[in-house]
Amino acid sequence: MDKLVIAGKAYSSRLLVGTGKYKDFDETRAAVDASGAEIITVAIRRTNLGQNPEEPSLLDVLPPSQYTLLPNTAGCYTVDDAVRTLRLARELLDGHTLVKLEVLGDPKTLYPNMVETLKAAEILIREGFQVMVYTSDDPIAARQLEEIGCIAIMPLASLIGSGMGILNPWNLQIIIENAKVPVIVDAGVGTASDAAIAMELGCDGVLMNTAIAAARNPVLMASAMKKAVEAGREAYLAGRMPKKLYSASPSSPVEGVIGNMPRK
Amino acid sequence: MWKANFLGQRFCGATLWKMIQLIVNGQPQLVPSPDPGTDSGTTNDAMLNIRQLLEHMGLQGKRIAVERNGEIVPRSQFDQPMLANGDKLEIVVAVGGG
């Protein structure tokens, strides 16, 4: 079977989903289920002082026994914040070491800061974390992250939350061609066709949150994304026909047509 | 609530109380803590532990992780008396995120 292998574990689904921006936990759970995702990202945040202690927690709704949780460093702008956040995540999740690192450089665009990302990745890997890393679509940055030991390279297709789709398929192709670890498009997917395109390029998976959560019907979009990722993967494996301006080779037989051929 | 337990179980009314200030999740918090009085030493049984702090905050039984002054406090150390005036604590949970 065609499985996605992350840190030695095989997954049937190549769609990874975030759990943010949903109306409530019921919708989160329904969308995650409809997506078929086995790996789901979670954020680590301060407890609300004075919050209602009876409030359910995300981990009750999406238990670590049923999903592979991928704690992230969303919102971190420095090496120190990112590293501390994931140390807390490891403690919170009983020694869980699979993490998603992102170190942002700019609150307006949420573009990653690659210098800080590299430094944080080095520290985390030294401390035994298995780092899936959010990166710009710079093939050199991607290669450096792989060289220092990141276990998956996750380039943006366009900016986080933008829904602009795959803006630079050429860079993604170079990254995919060079990488020996899984390449997962993380950020920028807006609709199902974007996910299919990413997979057709040869990405090993797609990670998304807003494209599902901000759809008018998130659960239906989650289902669409599941199919798009599967379709894109199959199309990639099947190998598409070459593109050409026109073809002098129609699908139906040329012989036996009634009437006359037009002059060339 | 824990204050009563605390007094009842371990200090039997003989212990002095004081308020200490902790920075919890970036906010200054005044928290009652047993007063070591004339007992010397920086870490002793009369200091507040993490479990007591979590109870004070209504977070007992919640799935949380704690960092004290930049270092993780493993759950196995939640019963160790360690909290001193001015300590900076981060108490975190998992929430939805992408």
Side-chain angles (χ1 to χ4, degrees), chain A residues 135-140 142-143 146 153 155 170-181 183:
Chain A
T135 173
S136 65
D137 63 0
D138 171 358
I140 305 306
R143 191 180 68 199
E146 183 177 346
I153 304 299
W170 313 108
N171 271 28
L172 289 179
Q173 269 180 15
I174 296 171
I175 292 171
I176 292 163
E177 201 177 297
N178 291 342
K180 292 180 191 67
V181 296
V183 175

Side-chain angles (χ1 to χ4, degrees), chain B residues 12-83:
Chain B
C12 302
T15 304
L16 297 169
W17 285 83
K18 62 173 182 179
M19 298 301 277
I20 58 169
Q21 181 175 278
L22 303 173
I23 310 294
V24 183
N25 291 348
Q27 306 274 337
Q29 298 272 314
L30 281 173
V31 179
S33 171
D35 187 346
T38 53
D39 295 349
S40 57
T42 49
T43 305
N44 64 49
D45 285 350
M47 289 175 109
L48 196 65
N49 67 37
I50 300 279
R51 188 172 312 286
Q52 291 160 341
L53 175 69
L54 294 177
E55 283 176 19
H56 176 71
M57 296 176 63
L59 291 171
Q60 67 274 25
K62 292 276 149 190
R63 189 149 185 172
I64 48 96
V66 179
E67 180 195 74
R68 171 176 163 258
N69 298 333
E71 302 289 333
I72 296 291
V73 183
R75 247 167 276 170
S76 59
Q77 292 177 18
F78 279 10
D79 285 320
Q80 288 180 18
M82 62 165 73
L83 294 173

Side-chain angles (χ1 to χ4, degrees), chain A residues 190-208:
Chain A
T191 188
S193 52
D194 297 333
I197 289 169
M199 295 307 295
E200 286 170 13
L201 286 171
C203 286
D204 296 282
V206 179
L207 196 165
M208 64 181 76

Side-chain angles (χ1 to χ4, degrees), chain A residues 89-100:
Chain A
R90 177 161 64 181
E91 179 62 23
L92 184 68
L93 299 173
D94 304 318
H96 174 100
T97 55
L98 184 68
V99 296
K100 171 183 161 181

Side-chain angles (χ1 to χ4, degrees), chain A residues 74-118:
Chain A
C76 291
Y77 287 84
T78 65
V79 172
D80 190 51
D81 286 353
V83 169
R84 284 170 58 209
T85 296
L86 292 178
R87 286 176 185 150
L88 280 163
R90 177 161 64 181
E91 179 62 23
L92 184 68
L93 299 173
D94 304 318
H96 174 100
T97 55
L98 184 68
V99 296
K100 171 183 161 181
L101 171 67
E102 59 181 281
V103 185
L104 302 176
D106 173 27
K108 188 164 118 185
T109 61
L110 303 178
Y111 206 82
N113 180 330
M114 294 318 301
V115 174
E116 299 285 294
T117 299
L118 269 158

